[in-house]
Amino acid sequence: MAAVVESVSSSGEHTFSKPVRGSIRLLAGLGVEGDAHLGTTVKHRSRVAVDPTQPNLRQVHLMHAELLEEVALAGFAVAPGQMGENITTRGVDLLGLSRGTVLGFGQARVEITGLRNPCAQIDGFSQGLLKQMVYRDEQGELVRRAGVMGVVLAGGVVEPGMAVTVAEPTGAHVSLERV
């Protein structure tokens, strides 16, 4: 199956869900034009409270549509954008990517920096959904599934139906950690 953009979303407000758009524009070094997380320094409110000078490694939030389908089988109705992601993909194992992987969307390029750290707001959206997004596996390891974060290397317009290219970094695979 070819990797494609399923949906795009953005919000100028710090809201949990983001409205679906016809397209979004990625700005190099900043993020999604008009989005509340746009900028070179961290914009997530809890992280700003700790240190507002931290670099923004969370300029773009990506989630795979297959995860939304999986949680639907568990009884949760979650549409693209409702988990706060900017880009919903199909056909890319986002959670299995190596840190530093570059995803291409036409001219736009996003470097994957790490995993989204799911928070209790997810249960505010749909009670019990947080346990679908973060849990401990059989070995007791924490599993985070709420998507990945990235920074914009090259700007451009991203819209549904666009092909997604995946360029893994050279060297050993580096598992994603929360950012």
Side-chain angles (χ1 to χ4, degrees):
M1 168 193 265
V4 298
V5 174
E6 178 116 338
S7 184
V8 294
S9 305
S10 67
S11 175
E13 305 292 322
H14 282 280
T15 56
F16 181 75
S17 297
K18 297 182 180 198
V20 171
R21 309 286 184 193
S23 66
I24 57 173
R25 179 177 299 282
L26 301 183
L27 303 175
L30 295 172
V32 180
E33 184 177 57
D35 195 78
H37 293 274
L38 179 77
T40 58
T41 56
V42 68
K43 300 302 178 202
H44 194 275
R45 287 189 261 182
S46 67
R47 292 167 190 258
V48 168
V50 172
D51 179 2
T53 67
Q54 295 175 74
N56 188 2
L57 301 178
R58 302 165 54 97
Q59 294 174 356
V60 182
H61 177 198
L62 302 100
M63 186 172 278
H64 53 295
E66 294 86 351
L67 177 60
L68 304 181
E69 293 165 353
E70 186 178 325
V71 299
L73 294 174
F76 298 95
V78 183
Q82 288 186 318
M83 292 282 290
E85 76 275 14
N86 300 111
I87 301 173
T88 310
T89 63
R90 179 171 297 282
V92 181
D93 178 14
L94 295 175
L95 301 176
L97 296 175
S98 180
R99 188 177 70 220
T101 297
V102 176
L103 300 180
F105 310 93
Q107 294 179 335
R109 299 283 178 269
V110 174
E111 180 179 345
I112 302 305
T113 56
L115 297 170
R116 175 186 180 190
N117 190 33
C119 67
Q121 287 184 349
I122 293 173
D123 273 348
F125 172 75
S126 183
Q127 188 61 43
L129 184 57
L130 181 59
K131 288 182 180 177
Q132 296 288 315
M133 296 297 135
V134 62
Y135 57 86
R136 294 208 179 268
D137 65 14
E138 299 80 28
Q139 291 77 36
E141 298 294 321
L142 198 59
V143 176
R144 292 178 175 91
R145 303 186 330 145
V148 299
M149 309 303 287
V151 295
V152 181
L153 300 178
V157 173
V158 180
E159 56 193 11
M162 291 181 84
V164 179
T165 61
V166 179
E168 293 275 344
T170 57
H173 178 89
V174 178
S175 296
L176 298 176
E177 296 180 9
R178 73 179 180 93
V179 293

